Amino acid sequence: MQIRLPTDVAEFLEQAAKANLTSRNAEIVRSCRERMQAERIRLQAEGIPPSAEGFHTII
């Protein structure tokens, strides 16, 4: 998979990977998982049942 990133995002990703002694890929996965968790929490707070969760809610 190839991803085009804005320069500032690419630089942040590189710095995070170096600081955490991980790869850029690992940082992307971590970031996505954090976003997924935040979305689950938001949906729970809005009273949306887990079965109604879907990727369409993540923009």
Side-chain angles (χ1 to χ4, degrees):
M1 173 190 301
Q2 290 185 339
I3 299 174
R4 290 180 296 217
L5 300 171
T7 303
D8 62 325
V9 175
E11 289 171 356
F12 175 83
L13 187 60
E14 186 67 31
Q15 290 172 359
K18 284 181 182 178
N20 295 318
L21 303 173
T22 61
S23 66
R24 290 175 291 178
N25 187 74
E27 291 300 321
I28 291 170
V29 171
R30 180 190 56 78
S31 201
C32 288
R33 288 181 192 246
E34 286 177 4
R35 174 67 188 266
M36 290 168 61
Q37 181 63 20
E39 187 69 8
R40 284 187 197 104
I41 291 168
R42 183 186 70 77
L43 291 172
Q44 257 183 340
E46 292 178 8
I48 299 172
S51 61
E53 290 181 21
F55 289 107
H56 64 279
T57 61
I58 299 175
I59 297 175

